[in-house]
Amino acid sequence: MPDQLLTGNEAVAQAALDGAVALGTGYPGTPSTEILERFGALGGRAQWAPNEKVALEVGLGVAYAHARALVTMKHVGLNVAADPLFSATYTGVTEGLVIAVADDPGMHSSQNEQDTRRYAEAAGAPMLEPGDSQEAYDYTLAALDISRRYQLPVILRLTTRVCHSKTRVRTRDQLMPAPAPHYERDIPSRVMIPGYARSAHVRLRERLKALANSDQPGQFLVEEGESSELGIIANGIAAVHAREAAPEARILKPGLTYPLPIEAMRKFAAQVKRCVVVEEGDPVLYTTLRAAGIDVEGKAEPFRFGELTVDRVAKILTNDHSPDPEPAAPPKPPRLCHDCPHRQVFQILSKHECIVAGDIGCYTLGVMPPFEAMDTCACMGAGITIGLGLRHALAKDQARRVVSVIGDSTFVHTGLPGIAEMAYNPPPTGHVVIIVDNDTTAMTGKQEHPGTGRQLNHLPAANKLNYEAIALALGVTNVHVVDPTDGSGEFERLLQDRLAAEELSIIVARKPCPLALKGLAKLNQASSSDGSEQK
């Protein structure tokens, strides 16, 4: 097959197809979203899950059944999936389970810069870190093999530049044969009651030790250059920057970063007069190597923040701590689209000086001028529960101004437990939750979710969640659906009425995203054309 020019995300998807992955599942989140979309477009079986926890648990079930699974998410999504992750390394798997996690240094579209490498060590999950699209392809296939061989889920840690940059990829001619799915009962390995879990923890450490002592870590070590003056240990995209910033240096790049090939790195450091660790994010490699007694230098604290570039790496290597230059022109701040139905919601919330507990999605932009109608935003689903906390604590006059705002995809993701909490522990003043339902996961590129009634490929799903029925079933009896853009003023009147009432209320502000509607119309038109040609 000829070489292809692929992004890192596209390369992971291609590897999943070539690796006979039976199911790809995940939750959309930049910069990881395109992996599953591409996998589905290539003919793989791909589906969006309600959240990352569900996705990993489904993937774990696939891997228990002697089939291969790919689970995708962004870094903060791994927080949601952490519960099954920590048990999955104990139970192990019978076939390949790869968890592709995309970190976002610089927070281009995220609320924090958490470093997924911390999770690998904490959970005991082997980790591979590609630095370009070719490695993204190769490491995905290698991760499937390591997962099967050592019976452990493997984390594939990507970062923004690897996900979205294109490099040449040469795919394999010899594809991995698909296993025959079947189930073998193994209660002590799969049921994590304390009596079985104690043995499982010992087994996990034995597997990790076997991996560390095998030839696998060495297979992913890349060493370049012969300098005896300057040595650089760098992982992922940082190694690419280091090669350009210091072409004269000797560079060691570990591809398997948990467990680390410590002795190989010790030997490398001993062969140079000065050894510097260059890594994006937290000083994970540096701390580990220093703890092992290896004499290496790290980066200054300012370089812990944001993405690394060639210029920033050059400054690390020369101990230049001067601040990064300011951009020639400040970036244009994001705004809600001019025809976005959320605009009317935030305009009314701002007009009535509501205290708005917000959530994660494109509607988070309600915090920007001219609305400035969002007071909190922490993590997925927190809009409802933080709003409840404010209602419980504030004096009555302020409490009655608190409103929670959450999007439809986020409501499905982690909003449902918040409604259960609201009905179970209602604040004295009641509460008002607004579900801004634009019938898509707009922020990450208009993906589907269980509330749209469409699958990942935008075709009809078996079912569609009914938010009103869910709210009623959970015990909230005041549920209202309104189009906030119809010009009748109904949304504003309804909001005022619900704020004045000391009751639990949910307002579904329902109006499809215009961009999503246009995309669906194009897809429907293309499908009709294909059907006509076939006829």
Side-chain angles (χ1 to χ4, degrees):
M1 183 179 291
D3 291 0
Q4 302 180 61
L5 192 62
L6 301 177
T7 65
N9 284 344
E10 291 170 339
V12 173
Q14 184 66 54
L17 188 73
D18 294 349
V21 164
L23 180 67
T25 181
Y27 184 81
T30 306
S32 71
T33 306
E34 298 86 359
I35 297 174
L36 280 190
E37 292 180 328
R38 177 75 169 193
F39 183 55
L42 289 171
R45 184 180 175 191
Q47 59 191 41
W48 293 126
N51 64 30
E52 296 85 357
K53 178 180 186 293
V54 171
L56 181 50
E57 290 162 350
V58 170
L60 190 58
V62 171
Y64 285 167
H66 283 268
R68 298 185 192 127
L70 172 70
V71 181
T72 70
M73 63 195 71
K74 67 185 295 180
H75 61 300
V76 288
L78 191 55
N79 297 327
V80 183
D83 198 0
L85 173 64
F86 277 73
S87 292
T89 55
Y90 275 40
T91 67
V93 296
T94 53
E95 253 299 340
L97 173 58
V98 175
I99 308 165
V101 184
D103 284 8
D104 189 19
M107 297 178 286
H108 298 282
S109 58
S110 308
Q111 66 267 40
N112 65 43
E113 284 186 291
Q114 91 184 34
D115 195 320
T116 293
R117 293 179 295 171
R118 303 289 194 189
Y119 267 113
E121 181 178 7
M127 172 176 280
L128 289 164
E129 292 190 60
D132 59 25
S133 299
Q134 181 67 63
E135 289 183 347
Y137 176 83
D138 293 337
Y139 287 10
T140 301
L141 291 171
L144 288 168
D145 182 61
I146 291 172
S147 178
R148 176 195 59 80
R149 187 176 302 183
Y150 293 93
Q151 299 184 341
L152 290 171
V154 175
I155 297 175
L156 182 77
R157 183 197 182 228
L158 306 157
T159 56
T160 303
R161 290 305 134 200
V162 176
C163 288
H164 291 159
S165 296
K166 288 191 174 185
T167 63
R168 184 179 296 175
V169 175
R170 175 161 294 179
T171 58
R172 290 186 184 180
D173 293 328
Q174 188 72 30
L175 305 182
M176 292 178 70
H182 63 282
Y183 186 72
E184 296 174 0
R185 198 175 196 198
D186 187 359
I187 291 175
S189 295
R190 300 288 182 255
V191 182
M192 287 300 98
I193 59 175
Y196 296 149
R198 294 185 189 100
S199 298
H201 189 194
V202 174
R203 184 170 60 245
L204 164 62
R205 297 303 159 185
E206 290 173 346
R207 287 171 174 171
L208 289 172
K209 184 177 180 180
L211 174 58
N213 293 334
S214 73
D215 62 352
Q216 291 281 341
Q219 293 178 13
F220 299 99
L221 271 176
V222 178
E223 186 172 343
E224 297 178 351
E226 298 179 355
S227 172
S228 60
E229 296 294 320
L230 174 62
I232 299 172
I233 297 176
N235 63 310
I237 194 69
V240 179
H241 297 322
R243 276 196 293 268
E244 189 169 343
E248 78 287 354
R250 191 172 186 170
I251 296 177
L252 183 70
K253 176 184 176 294
L256 182 70
T257 52
Y258 186 78
L260 273 174
I262 292 292
E263 294 311 312
M265 301 170 98
R266 189 190 306 277
K267 180 180 177 182
F268 176 86
Q271 293 172 340
V272 294
K273 291 181 180 179
R274 180 186 178 218
C275 188
V276 183
V277 176
V278 177
E279 54 188 323
E280 249 178 6
D282 294 346
V284 176
L285 291 178
Y286 170 75
T287 303
T288 304
L289 295 177
R290 292 290 292 184
I294 301 174
D295 185 15
V296 294
E297 299 176 26
K299 58 186 180 182
E301 185 68 7
F303 297 105
R304 184 174 189 161
F305 312 109
E307 287 187 287
L308 291 183
T309 62
V310 175
D311 290 341
R312 296 190 85 200
V313 171
K315 291 173 72 173
I316 291 171
L317 297 175
T318 57
N319 291 315
D320 180 354
H321 300 166
S322 61
D324 294 328
E326 294 293 330
K332 185 178 179 181
R335 292 283 191 273
L336 289 170
C337 298
H338 70 90
D339 55 351
C340 175
H342 300 331
R343 296 182 71 90
Q344 283 79 356
V345 172
F346 286 111
Q347 183 177 13
I348 299 303
L349 291 171
S350 178
K351 175 182 175 181
H352 291 279
E353 298 182 337
C354 293
I355 300 171
V356 180
D359 225 299
I360 305 293
C362 64
Y363 53 92
T364 312
L365 297 176
V367 72
M368 303 298 291
F371 313 108
E372 297 180 337
M374 189 170 288
D375 295 278
T376 73
C377 180
C379 61
M380 298 281 281
I384 295 174
T385 36
I386 287 177
L388 290 170
L390 289 167
R391 283 264 185 170
H392 281 300
L394 292 173
K396 189 173 183 178
D397 61 329
Q398 280 196 311
R400 291 174 64 173
R401 292 166 46 211
V402 176
V403 176
S404 289
V405 175
I406 188 169
D408 48 318
S409 180
T410 310
F411 179 72
V412 175
H413 181 279
T414 31
L416 296 172
I419 300 299
E421 165 67 12
M422 182 171 79
Y424 184 55
N425 295 308
T429 59
H431 191 39
V432 177
V433 173
I434 300 175
I435 301 173
V436 283
D437 178 11
N438 63 359
D439 198 38
T440 189
T441 312
M443 177 62 88
T444 52
K446 304 178 290 297
Q447 288 77 32
E448 308 296 351
H449 61 77
T452 68
R454 297 180 295 271
Q455 304 172 68
L456 181 145
N457 59 7
H458 308 292
L459 295 176
N463 291 290
K464 177 178 180 178
L465 288 190
N466 183 314
Y467 311 138
E468 304 92 283
I470 290 172
L472 291 169
L474 288 171
V476 181
T477 56
N478 293 295
V479 183
H480 308 269
V481 180
V482 61
D483 178 353
T485 68
D486 66 1
S488 68
E490 181 184 359
F491 172 75
E492 184 174 10
R493 290 191 296 271
L494 181 59
L495 177 64
Q496 289 179 287
D497 176 71
R498 292 296 87 204
L499 288 174
E502 296 184 349
E503 300 172 337
L504 301 178
S505 302
I506 292 178
I507 300 173
V508 182
R510 179 167 289 153
K511 182 72 173 183
C513 168
L515 292 177
L517 285 177
K518 291 177 183 177
L520 288 171
K522 289 181 179 178
L523 285 171
N524 291 333
Q525 185 176 10
S527 298
S528 299
S529 299
D530 292 343
S532 298
E533 291 171 0
Q534 290 172 0
K535 290 178 182 177

